[in-house]
Amino acid sequence: MRWKRTYHRERNRRRNRRGLMGALCLSMAASLAAGCGVKETTEESGATEEVVIPMILTVDSTTGNRNEEKLIEAFNEEYQGIYRVDVEWIVETEEEYRQNLKRRNVTDELPAVITDLSMLPSFYRMMIQDGRIEDISSYIEEDQEWADMIEPVVLEGCSEPSGEVYLAPISTAAFSCSGVFWNQELFERAGIETFPETWEEFWYCCERLENYGVTPLALHTEGTGWAPMLLATAELADSEAGADFMKELYPESYQNENGLRLANTLDRLFDYTTDDALHVDFDVAYTNFFTGNAAMIPNGYWMIDQIPEGWKDKVRFAPFPGNKLISSPETFGWSIVSSYSDEVKEGAVEFLKFRTRMNQAEKEEMFNQNARGLSPAERDYIQAYQGNPQIVPNYQVKWNSILQEEILGEILPELVQGKITAEEFTRKEDESIQKFEEEQ
């Protein structure tokens, strides 16, 4: 294909220019130095028309922050006059964004680069089968610079068993992990100095916080039940059988010891949360944590950037009890939509490589930074990541989409309100399996 040949020809031109432009590039961040020759080369080639790469990204409804804004600004500045990622910023939850991907696919209105596909396993499979997204494996294989940026565990997670890569990988799994953020001031109010290291200690911690008038957990039930499901699946993985269950893709049944354990843990968690946790999404849990209404909230590294001013000194991070982190780096893989022109897809490849490079630089900067320049949560996160944790797969890339998108939001409130039993909860989960299989 012409866009492939153009991409490799342009890449070779940039490499030939690097030596000449070295002095200029030294003044830029090391992670972006390779781009210094890009503008010069394109100007010499006479290219004048800027290629626009459409994309949709969300605005955090709680903080008002534009997700990935730094990445977009850095790429557009580096490739000014050559490529430009044109973002439509929308105020939607992650779940709403994912549902809109499906609708836009039906009407052929998808942007050139899309995110979150791995969080929709069945939709992702359909996109591959219908030839709607690009396999970029050959570009990574033929570009040693790009390949060297990617940690093996990340590339493995983004690759199909037969070697295709439809999810453009980030560089490192270092920023893909989830654990528990906790309020040190509220813990100290209850006389608790450190985060619990075992699940027995965790439940004791919840009891003690409540005894001192502190609500232990910020939870919710809508969407895929992100916060409570993180805790419950991490607890399930505390047993060998549970850890094996968490590795299964599309489990055949939840009506077993593992499914019941998960349901009972979910039920127990909601004994320690706020009164408004039912029928609301994660933004309510986030607000409860950052207004001091709850002492703990599970989430990933990315929430460090969402810690409000005035909270950075009292918010800490810890792995789940049992030294566990939940991570599936493929959830950060972005895809190129095949229906766009060769020029747009060429730009999308450059953009995704740039993202990998920027991610690599972010890790090097953070992990090599003097600890005094980091927030307590950042220091905690680095310690947790480097502390040989047990990595538990993210349930969102393992379980069928009907269970996650339709069933959990209905049956989780019923479970914690006592309207259904744990056994009935698992039976309804299994009904989603049958429905999912019928729709395939």
Side-chain angles (χ1 to χ4, degrees):
M1 293 176 62
R2 182 166 61 86
W3 77 284
K4 295 184 179 181
R5 294 194 299 270
T6 304
Y7 165 72
H8 290 296
R9 188 166 56 247
E10 184 66 20
R11 185 191 68 207
N12 291 334
R13 288 198 192 105
R14 289 199 303 276
R15 285 179 173 173
N16 292 336
R17 292 291 302 171
R18 283 178 190 150
L20 183 62
M21 296 297 293
L24 176 61
C25 290
L26 287 175
S27 63
M28 301 179 66
S31 65
L32 303 178
C36 294
V38 176
K39 299 174 189 174
E40 184 77 14
T41 300
T42 307
E43 289 169 2
E44 290 180 359
S45 70
T48 58
E49 186 175 352
E50 188 176 61
V51 176
V52 177
I53 307 163
M55 192 172 184
I56 296 173
L57 289 170
T58 58
V59 178
D60 189 286
S61 60
T62 302
T63 65
N65 294 334
R66 293 180 171 186
N67 293 317
E68 305 290 351
E69 185 173 27
K70 291 180 182 178
L71 168 66
I72 301 301
E73 290 179 347
F75 178 82
N76 286 345
E77 180 180 356
E78 184 65 22
Y79 284 79
Q80 185 177 4
I82 307 169
Y83 303 121
R84 176 170 57 86
V85 177
D86 185 20
V87 178
E88 177 187 351
W89 302 97
I90 56 176
V91 182
E92 288 184 343
T93 65
E94 292 177 351
E95 184 61 27
E96 289 169 337
Y97 167 83
R98 293 166 192 159
Q99 294 308 311
N100 278 338
L101 283 183
K102 297 180 179 180
R103 287 190 284 269
R104 286 175 179 267
N105 182 57
V106 172
T107 57
D108 200 19
E109 295 178 315
L110 287 171
V113 177
I114 55 178
T115 74
D116 283 28
L117 265 188
S118 65
M119 308 296 269
L120 299 164
S122 59
F123 181 62
Y124 170 56
R125 289 289 146 208
M126 184 196 73
M127 294 289 280
I128 294 174
Q129 293 168 5
D130 292 350
R132 296 285 287 144
I133 51 178
E134 294 289 315
D135 172 17
I136 64 167
S137 58
S138 62
Y139 304 103
I140 297 174
E141 292 168 2
E142 296 171 14
D143 189 335
Q144 195 61 47
E145 179 189 18
W146 194 357
D148 288 345
M149 297 178 197
I150 307 168
E151 293 177 359
V153 67
V154 177
L155 185 58
E156 179 182 358
C158 291
S159 300
E160 294 297 300
S162 51
E164 298 90 347
V165 178
Y166 297 99
L167 300 169
I170 51 176
S171 170
T172 175
F175 303 121
S176 67
C177 299
S178 296
V180 183
F181 290 85
W182 54 286
N183 184 321
Q184 187 170 4
E185 286 187 357
L186 294 182
F187 267 57
E188 290 175 350
R189 184 186 301 177
I192 306 171
E193 297 181 357
T194 60
F195 192 81
E197 295 183 358
T198 67
W199 284 100
E200 182 179 3
E201 293 174 357
F202 173 81
W203 298 119
Y204 172 78
C205 174
C206 289
E207 287 288 341
R208 188 171 179 87
L209 286 166
E210 278 207 332
N211 290 339
Y212 280 82
V214 177
T215 300
L217 299 169
L219 302 177
H220 63 101
T221 61
E222 289 300 293
T224 64
W226 173 248
M229 288 298 297
L230 284 176
L231 285 164
T233 52
E235 197 281 334
L236 178 61
D238 211 38
S239 70
E240 184 175 351
D244 290 340
F245 182 80
M246 286 306 303
K247 295 175 183 177
E248 292 182 20
L249 179 63
Y250 299 155
E252 295 181 356
S253 176
Y254 294 86
Q255 295 186 75
N256 48 48
E257 182 179 348
N258 294 313
L260 288 171
R261 177 170 177 170
L262 180 73
N264 285 320
T265 299
L266 285 169
D267 191 15
R268 187 175 183 182
L269 288 169
F270 278 84
D271 290 339
Y272 301 105
T273 192
T274 57
D275 293 335
D276 59 356
L278 300 184
H279 305 294
V280 295
D281 216 326
F282 181 81
D283 59 335
V284 174
Y286 173 95
T287 300
N288 277 325
F289 181 75
F290 284 114
T291 52
N293 291 335
M296 293 178 277
I297 184 170
N299 205 3
Y301 168 84
W302 47 92
M303 201 175 82
I304 291 177
D305 291 335
Q306 300 171 346
I307 297 176
E309 290 299 324
W311 283 77
K312 295 186 183 298
D313 289 337
K314 56 187 173 185
V315 172
R316 305 290 302 273
F317 179 88
F320 295 101
N323 193 27
K324 294 173 177 58
L325 294 174
I326 291 179
S327 175
S328 294
E330 64 268 30
T331 61
F332 293 83
W334 293 357
S335 298
I336 300 173
V337 176
S338 297
S339 57
Y340 280 83
S341 69
D342 293 345
E343 290 76 15
V344 171
K345 288 188 287 192
E346 172 193 339
V349 169
E350 287 293 330
F351 171 59
L352 294 174
K353 177 180 175 180
F354 182 91
R355 179 178 182 245
T356 305
R357 183 189 303 125
M358 190 167 175
N359 180 249
Q360 181 188 47
E362 288 172 343
K363 179 190 176 183
E364 292 174 353
E365 179 182 1
M366 179 174 172
F367 279 62
N368 293 326
Q369 186 174 342
N370 189 312
R372 294 180 180 178
L374 300 173
S375 68
E378 287 174 319
R379 292 195 294 269
D380 291 339
Y381 184 90
I382 292 174
Q383 182 178 353
Y385 184 76
Q386 295 179 331
N388 193 31
Q390 175 187 347
I391 300 297
V392 180
N394 183 349
Y395 72 99
Q396 289 189 333
V397 301
K398 295 294 184 181
W399 296 354
N400 76 75
S401 55
I402 291 176
L403 171 58
Q404 296 186 58
E405 299 162 19
E406 300 176 19
I407 303 301
L408 277 178
E410 296 178 0
I411 64 176
L412 186 52
E414 293 178 348
L415 175 69
V416 301
Q417 289 178 308
K419 295 179 179 179
I420 60 174
T421 65
E423 288 77 10
E424 291 170 319
F425 183 87
T426 60
R427 186 162 59 249
K428 289 177 180 291
E429 287 180 302
D430 278 10
E431 290 173 4
S432 77
I433 298 174
Q434 181 178 354
K435 184 177 179 181
F436 176 76
E437 291 176 346
E438 290 172 352
E439 294 184 1
Q440 297 309 296

